Amino acid sequence: MEKENRFYITTAIDYPSGKPHIGHAYEKIIADVIARWQRKRSREVFFLTGTDEHGQKIERYAANADKSPQEFANEMTEKFLDLCQVLNVSNDDFIRTTQKRHIDVAQTIFKKVFDKGDIYKDTYKGFYCVDCESFYLERDLTDGNCLVHGKKVDWMEEEGYFFRMSKYQQKILDHIKANDDFIWPESRRNEVISRLQEPLRDLNVSRSNFTWGIPLPNDKGQVIYVWFDALINYVSGAGYPDSERFKRFWPAAVHLVGKDILWFHTVVWPAILMAADIELPQSVCVHGFINLKGEKISKSTGSMVDPIELAKKYGTDSLRYFLMREISFGEDGNFSEDALIRRINSDLANDLGNLVHRTLTMIEKYFQGSVPEIKTDKLKCIKAYVLAAGLTEAVDKEISVYNFSQALAKIWEAINAANKLVEETKPWNLSKEGKIDELGVFIFVMSYVIDKVRENIDCFMPQTAVKIVQQFQPGKIKKDKPLFPRIQDDKLN
Ligand code: MSP
């Protein structure tokens, strides 16, 4: 899955047409968990995210806000940068398609494909959805609306340049069939294979009735179609063609994207790369959509659940935990503040927070603040110990197949077993009865479980892992306030 010991992961680059919403946050968190997990496995990681700033959509939103497209994109991009910071996303770079480093590469690749004869001039007649920045045929629409946004599409007739995508159809199909891992999950792979049974139409890769884009290298009266421009970020962001970084990291191990942009990443992008003689990425990994009360996120509902506000109000790690636990990766899921609060109170405050706090309290009370070192065969008979001992292996197995929710469930099995051990052991009685050896075994197991939990939640909840380390100093513990304060839940629906 990776190039030698190197691992390049990307997210989609977001349209800064408005503030980031919870769907954007979700994608960044998944990529961050994968990146942190790969680093933990001693892979050299390059993690790229960014913003997709050109096109008619941004131009329109900017006009509505009475701003120039660049001014508008600058302002909104600030919020995506904030999002990465607030969510503790460990991206190594942030590419903006308005940066010179990107514009140069987009033009170079366009020219390369043009010079090869794979781009030709023709007239485009058809429909266009500005929100998707996609061309549609009549049969793709219902009642004249695009299926993704449910909005009326525009009729478009313009002279443009077409990319001979059809030439690569068979090659792409062969590649997908020969590489099981190229598209994940399998259902998405089958979807693409089935769509590729129909003849592929050439793609209009330039626009001429607006100006907010990268000028064509061979025709300054046109701009490069925003998707052709945007996809190239994955190579421009790594320093195509000559940088050391590009040579080290390309091809990317994972392009992480949402289901709505599957086609662009598994058909259009491979065609561009083949035409430009660049190696294909190793995999495109597709996540589902987050809905709000079962409904698609819209402009008005999206801003009501602002992920930056949520992280500030409930804690970054709590939000990260919730999204990775609650939603089965690859499927759609729901976000609600009530469900978030419930998870915080039960899984984080009650289970994990309580485990850490009560263990610290007992280490202080019974062992003057330092955990006894215990070596005994008895450990193998204690469920919490056995679960913790096998935890890293079990969690790695789940993460390696993107079962994040299951990975967390495994961690919580160990947490719950340790909490149960307290009730079963009744350490307060052992202490009264002077059974210090048994008490020692018990407290050793509790600390051991916490250490293994800490090790494995690290990529999901990095700040919490650090807080646990700070409280369990070798030799002497340093008890602090509980990790997760309970949230008043009397107002829950
Ligand atoms: N700019 C394009 C991507 C270009 S990549 C070369 C774009 N931008 S977007 O802002 O609309 O979406 C960015 C990412 O967020 C996409 O992967 C998209 O699928 C994802 N999501 C957008 N809404 C989402 C949800 N409601 N839920 C989960 N992810 C969602 O598409």
Side-chain angles (χ1 to χ4, degrees), residues 286-297:
V286 185
H287 63 78
F289 258 43
I290 296 193
N291 297 319
L292 302 173
K293 299 201 176 103
E295 303 280 328
K296 273 190 178 164
I297 297 175

Side-chain angles (χ1 to χ4, degrees), residues 11-17 21-28 51-53 57 80 97 131-133 149 226-227 229-234 256-262 264-265 287-292 295-297 332-333:
T11 66
I13 49 171
D14 305 315
Y15 290 127
S17 52
H21 59 59
I22 192 85
H24 298 128
Y26 178 55
E27 186 172 296
K28 293 197 195 303
T51 42
D52 182 359
E53 303 184 19
K57 175 168 166 142
F80 283 87
T97 53
D131 279 282
C132 306
E133 297 278 18
H149 297 92
V226 66
W227 268 101
D229 155 355
L231 288 161
I232 287 171
N233 91 85
Y234 301 130
L256 177 71
V257 297
K259 63 178 185 180
D260 56 329
I261 55 176
L262 170 71
F264 285 107
H265 283 82
H287 63 78
F289 258 43
I290 296 193
N291 297 319
L292 302 173
E295 303 280 328
K296 273 190 178 164
I297 297 175
D332 290 352

